[in-house]
Amino acid sequence: MITRRWFTAGLAAAVFAPGTALAQTKKKSFQLDPKFQPQSVPYKTDLTAGSVVVDPKNKFLYLIESSSTARRYGIGVGRAGLEWSGEAIVGRKATWPRWIPTKDMIKREPAKYEKYAVGVDGGPTNPLGARALYLYRNGRDTYYRIHGTIQPWTIGTAVSNGCIRMTNNHVIELYERVGVGATVVVL
């Protein structure tokens, strides 16, 4: 069971403390559905071990372990109109990454994102969570990420601005197992 204390005992208090950058995030009682817990599953593929397959429709990310198995994680995905598909590579990785909303995010919802235009330093109140894998195509940043979240109850839903969300515990595990240059296929 994953609870509010999914990363450190004091993290939840820091995330939801009045006056923090994201204090509007409401504290919720939370238990991750067991189907979204990491687990090894049969998975037939021609992709090499260490590649990642994202299945937004079913809200799962698969880390390929062999031609017939994968480690499956539950994810949150982009809401309607913000999803994407195709192939990319992990262009870089970051621990406690700095978050800056994209120009499109600010344009779509200025009241929500304009105040963060200069960015939010990495840490327990940052929307990218504990780790981020930056997705690139043709040597250019796509501005899509596989990252942690300070809203773990969104796993299994379509609520993001297009990025792939994981619980912080799960993205830390993935971060350790996926290298820069790894293939990422979003179905």
Side-chain angles (χ1 to χ4, degrees):
M1 177 175 81
I2 294 181
T3 65
R4 275 292 213 208
R5 289 172 276 158
W6 38 260
F7 189 65
T8 64
L11 182 60
V15 169
F16 300 106
T20 60
L22 298 173
Q24 74 272 12
T25 304
K26 295 180 181 166
K27 190 172 184 177
K28 297 183 179 189
S29 174
F30 171 72
Q31 182 176 345
L32 187 65
D33 186 317
K35 73 180 179 184
F36 294 125
Q37 292 288 356
Q39 53 196 285
S40 290
V41 296
Y43 194 91
K44 296 282 186 197
T45 185
D46 292 331
L47 292 170
T48 60
S51 297
V52 174
V53 176
V54 177
D55 179 355
K57 179 181 176 195
N58 294 303
K59 316 296 188 292
F60 291 118
L61 178 148
Y62 297 88
L63 171 60
I64 305 305
E65 296 179 316
S66 73
S67 62
S68 60
T69 62
R71 183 138 174 96
R72 186 180 78 186
Y73 301 86
I75 57 172
V77 299
R79 62 184 183 259
L82 300 176
E83 63 276 288
W84 66 283
S85 63
E87 190 171 314
I89 66 162
V90 175
R92 76 180 187 96
K93 301 182 344 179
T95 61
W96 293 110
R98 181 172 173 74
W99 173 71
I100 302 171
T102 66
K103 290 177 185 176
D104 286 341
M105 289 168 66
I106 295 169
K107 185 178 177 181
R108 271 192 310 272
E109 298 180 74
K112 184 174 182 179
Y113 294 114
E114 200 165 46
K115 60 189 164 202
Y116 303 116
V118 297
V120 176
D121 288 336
T125 61
N126 184 305
L128 293 182
R131 304 288 184 272
L133 291 85
Y134 293 70
L135 304 183
Y136 282 61
R137 282 189 186 153
N138 302 318
R140 298 184 65 171
D141 189 352
T142 64
Y143 295 99
Y144 290 103
R145 317 280 184 247
I146 298 170
H147 63 79
T149 183
I150 59 173
Q151 300 172 324
W153 55 88
T154 63
I155 302 305
T157 67
V159 298
S160 80
N161 279 287
C163 290
I164 308 303
R165 294 180 178 187
M166 302 176 73
T167 69
N168 278 331
N169 292 22
H170 300 169
V171 79
I172 289 169
E173 179 181 311
L174 184 73
Y175 180 94
E176 296 299 325
R177 300 182 70 192
V178 174
V180 171
T183 298
V184 178
V185 176
V186 181
L187 304 175

